[in-house]
Amino acid sequence: MDRKIAERGRFPSINILRSVSRTMPNCNSEFENKIVKKARQLLATYEDMADMIKIGAYRKGSAPTIDEAIKYYNQIEQFLMQDSNEFVNLETGYKELSKILGIN
């Protein structure tokens, strides 16, 4: 659990970028791994540039990868939020995330 994430109001407050599973890639299909990889790349890009974005030092159009990360960041964060009594099975979660990211 990550206190900074909890302070932002996202629960469970798991830091997706620091959470590493050696077995997950072997448990997922290639398509599921593609979805996870894309989401992690977008989050990492945003987090790397977060300070610049927040203070307005980043200008849209300067870097397509950063523009893409900005576009998807809030949607991914919203996807990661879960009420304590909410349950989503793995298949549904992957479908929802692939829809958010536009991965078919």
Side-chain angles (χ1 to χ4, degrees):
M1 301 297 165
D2 188 307
R3 182 174 303 278
K4 286 183 180 182
I5 292 172
E7 289 170 354
R8 290 194 322 243
R10 177 163 63 83
F11 296 97
S13 57
I14 298 169
N15 186 327
I16 301 300
L17 298 176
R18 291 188 182 185
S19 178
V20 179
S21 171
R22 291 176 290 162
T23 59
M24 188 181 80
N26 295 328
C27 298
N28 287 342
S29 68
E30 285 184 44
F31 181 68
E32 291 166 340
N33 284 329
K34 180 180 176 181
I35 295 166
V36 171
K37 181 179 178 181
K38 181 66 174 179
R40 288 176 65 100
Q41 286 173 334
L42 291 167
L43 287 173
T45 299
Y46 186 93
E47 292 297 327
D48 287 347
M49 294 298 296
D51 290 338
M52 299 293 283
I53 294 166
K54 289 175 186 174
I55 65 169
Y58 175 75
R59 297 287 177 237
K60 185 177 179 179
S62 299
T65 56
I66 298 170
D67 292 341
E68 184 181 31
I70 293 169
K71 175 182 174 183
Y72 289 109
Y73 182 77
N74 287 332
Q75 294 174 74
I76 295 170
E77 280 289 306
Q78 199 65 33
F79 169 80
L80 294 172
M81 284 185 187
Q82 185 175 354
D83 289 330
S84 60
N85 59 352
E86 183 180 0
F87 172 79
V88 177
N89 67 39
L90 196 56
E91 182 180 347
T92 301
Y94 280 121
K95 283 181 183 178
E96 289 178 16
L97 188 55
S98 69
K99 184 178 176 181
I100 290 167
L101 301 176
I103 299 173
N104 299 321

